[in-house]
Amino acid sequence: MGTERSTGCPSRDTHRNAHRHSLSSSFRSSSPLAEQYLARDLADYSSSDDDVAVDDSGSEHHPRDASTHFMNRRPSGVAYGGTRPVLNPQIVDDPGLSPLERRQSRDAERSLLRDNHVLPPKRPERKRRHGLASRMYHRIFGTRPPAEEDVESRGPALVVQPPSETSPLLSGGQSTSHDDDDEVIDQQWEQAVAEGRIRTTWQRETKTLAQYSGPLVVTFFLQYSINVASIFAVGRIGKAELGAVSVANMSAAITCIAPFQGLATSLDTLCAQAYGSGHKHLVGIQFQRMTLFLFTLMVPIAVLWYFSTGILLLVIPEPDSARLAGLYLRVMIFSIPGIILFECGKRFTQAQGLFRATTYVLLVAAPFNALLLWLLVWRLELGFVGAPISVAVTDTLLPILLFLYVRFVDGRQCWGGFSRRALSNWWIMIRLALPGMIMVEAEWLAFEIMTLLSSRFGAEYLAAQSVVATLGSITYQIPFPVSIAASTRIANLIGAGLVDAARTAAKVAVFTLALVGILNLTLFSTLRFHLPLLFTDDPDVISLVARVLPVVAVMQVFDGLSAGAHGLLRGIGRQSIGGPANLFAYYAISLPLSLWMAFGLGWKLEGLWLGVTVGLVVVSIIEYVYLLITSWESAAREAESRNEAG
């Protein structure tokens, strides 16, 4: 998704592609403020080095245009981390595809054309057996549209002639046979879309959703595991320690992680636009600029964390938990530079289409964190303080590993070295970043405030809240990545004008997320006395968690459905309704209900989570009603208009 740019050489018939429907269309115009920001940088710092872009093969070409589009866009903005990934109304501007992704995209287009009988099959079709097992297999797993839409009723398929003995070996500077084939695919795609010959099936969309979301699920689990591992590690020390970790993570989230992630979301737009314009060194400058800005904010946060014990004693009625949480935050001061560098660094790599860089880094860092936790907490018998030391070391390791990836694997082309340019043009960057920070902070606070409220009931309730919140966040690492993948796929299909196909993909996504929610409901309900044992052996805490989990189990269904609604809205370019709907449900309905049921009715933790569940039900109803009444055809026309405008 995002503003489209060419992923091929501009010499390839750019004029004829100006009106081409592609499966990678834009769903919002670039931010005018971001465009103004980039224009100022170009005006102030344009040089001969910046005027020429270097592609992945090392050859030079001019900045990309919007002429040539490919099918599959990678989901963007992955690996937010933290305890509760949130809906952010800002959509990442696509930096373009890598050579591997371009090849995969072209292969996907060919596959769709073959399944719709526009291109001949990849291999000569053998006569199918008509046995029951064969028919059931093709009915369940086949990706082709139903037989009634076969080739006889839809026109002749294109026959691509293979080279013959008389075919010239050299084309005199003309396109190669591979380029000719790509041109043929382009022509057939345009014609097939215009004639309404492209259809999809639920089998194909299920396969695509799994391919898109699989790596994202792994990435989210890996990054979340860095924080959640400390809860597992110290939970068996005591209930005061278990509650303290929850309080410390809450404090770190709302005072540092959420604001820094919210501010860094501006790089999703700024770095991607700089990369897409062909001025790659500006990507590094944007990274330096945001990093320096966040480092200036680090000082007051470090002071706040250093003196956090006294503050927490005023708001947390459990003195032991407050003191331990303050100790945790003091140690975590050393993690702040790593948090800043990694949050900015992963935007630096993602703007270049290097989405796997973060996953590779986490594949190393997450197991290292688990091993270090065991070593410090249990082997060296440091106890509670071993947990924040491990997290701080791991948070420092993350940007180091990312730097090594950029230096020795890929991404170095956008680093032009340290520059004084990073010290200028801060004001527009701050204006662009503030809305993202406010949105992320507001949504994180809505969930983290439950930890603060639960502390009013006693140490065992605070420990139980820590367990319940961790379990809910673990299971959320599946619906949220799936929603990102669904939004990408639906955006691709809507951008191509394939509205019916987009609806099919949406139905598959909603069904998948509902199924995930039902599975989580079953898991939480049937194992409600066993799941707490993963965290603690305190009988009081286990009993409290077992009482709350049935409520959280019901919440899982609506948690998944609301995540799916967020993804569908992003996919059709109507994500602006999501933020207000969330904030209304959280602060106007969920939080008042939670307070009334927890304190007014005396339901305590059950009341807190029941209020959250009602809020999620309201969000789901608002967003799905909006999806039903909004015109998806209108979204497709808007995407087409933006493509035609370049």
Side-chain angles (χ1 to χ4, degrees):
M1 295 182 292
T3 305
E4 292 305 315
R5 293 167 292 273
S6 171
T7 52
C9 294
S11 60
R12 290 183 53 194
D13 294 333
T14 59
H15 64 280
R16 78 168 175 80
N17 286 313
H19 299 283
R20 178 173 186 245
H21 291 275
S22 72
L23 287 180
S24 56
S25 295
S26 170
F27 284 89
R28 70 176 176 88
S29 302
S30 300
S31 166
L33 191 59
E35 292 178 351
Q36 175 188 350
Y37 186 59
L38 181 61
R40 178 175 294 185
D41 269 343
L42 293 177
D44 291 346
Y45 310 121
S46 180
S47 65
S48 58
D49 291 336
D50 285 336
D51 289 337
V52 178
V54 180
D55 64 19
D56 298 295
S57 63
S59 61
E60 295 184 350
H61 62 81
H62 291 284
R64 303 182 227 189
D65 56 38
S67 59
T68 305
H69 303 285
F70 289 86
M71 174 180 173
N72 292 321
R73 284 296 187 237
R74 294 294 303 274
S76 53
V78 299
Y80 288 94
T83 57
R84 187 77 182 187
V86 297
L87 169 68
N88 194 310
Q90 195 172 22
I91 293 182
V92 179
D93 289 331
D94 199 317
L97 302 178
S98 67
L100 173 62
E101 290 166 342
R102 287 199 293 270
R103 184 168 65 252
Q104 292 172 339
S105 296
R106 182 63 74 191
D107 291 343
E109 284 189 353
R110 285 194 182 94
S111 177
L112 254 182
L113 291 172
R114 289 191 183 108
D115 275 3
N116 286 273
H117 310 289
V118 178
L119 289 180
K122 188 174 183 179
R123 298 181 183 87
E125 291 193 27
R126 298 178 180 178
K127 188 174 181 180
R128 291 184 181 178
R129 298 178 179 178
H130 295 287
L132 177 61
S134 177
R135 291 198 303 270
M136 289 182 62
Y137 175 84
H138 287 289
R139 173 68 67 179
I140 296 174
F141 298 106
T143 59
R144 293 192 174 186
E148 60 266 18
E149 295 290 339
D150 212 341
V151 61
E152 287 80 4
S153 61
R154 305 181 65 185
L158 171 74
V159 178
V160 180
Q161 295 293 344
S164 66
E165 294 180 359
T166 60
S167 300
L169 296 178
L170 298 176
S171 57
Q174 302 298 320
S175 298
T176 65
S177 60
H178 182 269
D179 288 336
D180 289 338
D181 184 51
D182 283 349
E183 293 293 333
V184 169
I185 299 299
D186 287 345
Q187 294 172 4
Q188 288 301 305
W189 181 261
E190 294 172 26
Q191 182 179 352
V193 170
E195 295 175 356
R197 299 173 66 183
I198 301 297
R199 299 173 66 235
T200 188
T201 60
W202 68 265
Q203 292 95 334
R204 171 180 286 278
E205 295 311 315
T206 301
K207 178 181 178 182
T208 302
L209 186 64
Q211 291 173 339
Y212 276 31
S213 60
L216 288 176
V217 171
V218 173
T219 302
F220 275 85
F221 267 114
L222 287 173
Q223 184 155 356
Y224 181 58
S225 71
I226 294 174
N227 283 330
V228 76
S230 62
I231 298 178
F232 283 98
V234 305
R236 294 187 176 276
I237 298 177
K239 59 186 177 185
E241 288 79 2
L242 182 58
V245 174
S246 183
V247 171
N249 283 334
M250 174 207 71
S251 302
I254 63 179
T255 59
C256 177
I257 298 175
F260 282 5
Q261 286 190 2
L263 291 169
T265 55
S266 64
L267 291 182
D268 293 334
T269 297
L270 297 175
C271 287
Q273 286 192 355
Y275 184 84
S277 70
H279 300 81
K280 295 189 176 182
H281 287 177
L282 285 181
V283 180
I285 292 175
Q286 310 290 11
F287 163 79
Q288 293 177 51
R289 202 172 272 154
M290 178 57 69
T291 300
L292 291 174
F293 173 57
L294 294 182
F295 269 115
T296 62
L297 300 180
M298 181 184 74
V299 177
I301 293 174
V303 173
L304 178 66
W305 286 9
Y306 187 83
F307 295 102
S308 59
T309 301
I311 300 173
L312 292 174
L313 284 171
L314 296 176
V315 296
I316 303 294
E318 294 297 323
D320 291 339
S321 295
R323 292 190 188 96
L324 289 171
L327 173 62
Y328 194 106
L329 289 174
R330 281 193 179 189
V331 177
M332 285 290 290
I333 291 174
F334 297 99
S335 72
I336 300 177
I339 292 172
I340 293 172
L341 290 170
F342 187 63
E343 285 303 316
C344 296
K346 69 188 180 187
R347 267 81 180 184
F348 174 82
T349 54
Q350 288 171 11
Q352 304 175 59
L354 305 176
F355 294 96
R356 296 181 181 178
T358 304
T359 303
Y360 295 149
V361 167
L362 291 170
L363 282 171
V364 177
F368 171 82
N369 178 67
L371 178 62
L372 187 61
L373 266 172
W374 171 81
L375 180 66
L376 295 177
V377 175
W378 298 108
R379 185 68 177 178
L380 299 181
E381 298 182 350
L382 294 182
F384 178 84
V385 75
I389 293 175
S390 176
V391 175
V393 171
T394 304
D395 283 343
T396 304
L397 179 65
L398 287 172
I400 295 175
L401 293 175
L402 193 59
F403 166 78
L404 294 175
Y405 182 94
V406 171
R407 175 64 178 81
F408 296 105
V409 181
D410 199 1
R412 187 181 179 186
Q413 60 271 16
C414 287
W415 180 254
F418 294 100
S419 173
R420 292 182 179 179
R421 303 175 182 178
L423 299 175
S424 61
N425 284 350
W426 279 30
W427 177 236
I428 298 180
M429 175 190 70
I430 294 172
R431 287 173 56 197
L432 189 65
L434 282 178
M437 185 201 74
I438 294 171
M439 186 68 189
V440 174
E441 181 72 19
E443 292 195 7
W444 279 58
L445 186 61
F447 280 91
E448 300 296 351
I449 201 171
M450 291 178 60
T451 299
L452 183 62
L453 293 175
S454 64
S455 67
R456 313 304 300 180
F457 304 127
E460 64 274 10
Y461 283 90
L462 181 58
Q465 166 64 18
S466 179
V467 174
V468 173
T470 301
L471 289 172
S473 294
I474 289 174
T475 56
Y476 193 70
Q477 307 307 311
I478 298 177
F480 187 67
V482 170
S483 76
I484 295 176
S487 70
T488 301
R489 178 60 173 178
I490 292 167
N492 293 337
L493 295 169
I494 284 283
L498 304 177
V499 177
D500 289 339
R503 288 195 177 102
T504 300
K507 292 174 183 177
V508 169
V510 173
F511 178 82
T512 300
L513 290 168
L515 181 61
V516 170
I518 292 172
L519 290 176
N520 288 336
L521 183 150
T522 304
L523 178 70
F524 280 17
S525 299
T526 57
L527 300 179
R528 61 194 184 102
F529 288 100
H530 301 279
L531 291 176
L533 294 173
L534 298 173
F535 301 85
T536 182
D537 52 9
D538 188 285
D540 294 334
V541 176
I542 293 173
S543 176
L544 286 173
V545 173
R547 282 166 45 190
V548 179
L549 277 183
V551 178
V552 181
V554 175
M555 189 199 78
Q556 294 300 302
V557 178
F558 297 99
D559 211 10
L561 289 175
S562 65
H566 300 342
L568 302 189
L569 288 169
R570 290 195 300 268
I572 66 172
R574 299 292 188 268
Q575 68 278 358
S576 59
I577 188 66
N582 270 336
L583 294 180
F584 170 77
Y586 292 152
Y587 289 99
I589 296 178
S590 180
L591 187 55
L593 270 179
S594 293
L595 290 171
W596 175 61
M597 287 187 286
F599 294 95
L601 299 181
W603 294 355
K604 298 184 178 179
L605 277 189
E606 295 97 315
L608 289 178
W609 284 97
L610 189 57
V612 172
T613 303
V614 173
L616 287 170
V617 172
V618 172
V619 168
S620 300
I621 292 174
I622 292 174
E623 294 185 343
Y624 279 109
V625 168
Y626 184 85
L627 285 165
L628 288 173
I629 65 176
T630 194
S631 172
W632 289 37
E633 289 79 5
S634 176
R637 289 193 296 270
E638 291 172 9
E640 179 184 2
S641 299
R642 282 191 288 271
N643 284 339
E644 291 176 354

